[in-house]
Amino acid sequence: MKLSDGSAVLIAKDKGQPLDYLLAERTTRPPNPFRLSSSSLYVHDMAVVATAQHKGVGKLLMDAAVKIAQANGAAAIRRDSWQLDDRAHGFFESQAFTPVNVIFERTLSRPS
């Protein structure tokens, strides 16, 4: 599937009921003095309903994302995840994802 506007929404249904969805966008970044150029399919959001989890539905969804990424010339698929979401990390690692960076945050108090 070629992405005309750079974004994709995938939804799987069973008997008319949605099982999962994935929202992704092709991103490209030109090179600059601090980084190389990159082209990836960034998965903004992904979910599988509880009754369909651990049945291969998420894998099918990710396989479809891989095909879309390849058809659109992306060199990688990227997805961020909350630090404490071990369940999501396990799924992404089972799909051959590896962690590549850590974002540090400092919470600031609001001025009175």
Side-chain angles (χ1 to χ4, degrees):
M1 167 196 299
K2 277 296 219 182
L3 302 178
S4 59
D5 67 352
S7 61
V9 177
L10 303 175
I11 301 172
K13 294 181 180 181
D14 182 34
K15 298 177 185 167
Q17 295 298 313
L19 296 178
D20 64 21
Y21 77 96
L22 181 140
L23 172 63
E25 174 184 27
R26 184 168 181 262
T27 61
T28 56
R29 295 180 189 223
N32 65 41
F34 306 104
R35 72 169 66 180
L36 300 173
S37 64
S38 69
S39 172
S40 63
L41 184 72
Y42 183 79
V43 176
H44 287 285
D45 205 7
M46 177 180 173
V48 177
V49 297
T51 57
Q53 291 177 6
H54 307 288
K55 296 180 180 177
V57 174
K59 180 186 180 333
L60 291 173
L61 191 62
M62 196 53 68
D63 290 346
V66 167
K67 288 179 183 175
I68 290 170
Q70 291 170 330
N72 288 276
I77 297 178
R78 295 193 169 166
R79 170 79 166 121
D80 64 84
S81 177
W82 293 107
Q83 180 182 0
L84 300 176
D85 194 348
D86 294 331
R87 217 170 86 185
H89 300 172
F91 171 75
F92 294 124
E93 289 169 355
S94 77
Q95 298 301 303
F97 282 76
T98 57
V100 293
N101 66 340
V102 175
I103 297 172
F104 290 90
E105 176 180 86
R106 179 178 174 179
T107 303
L108 302 175
S109 60
R110 295 182 181 198
S112 302

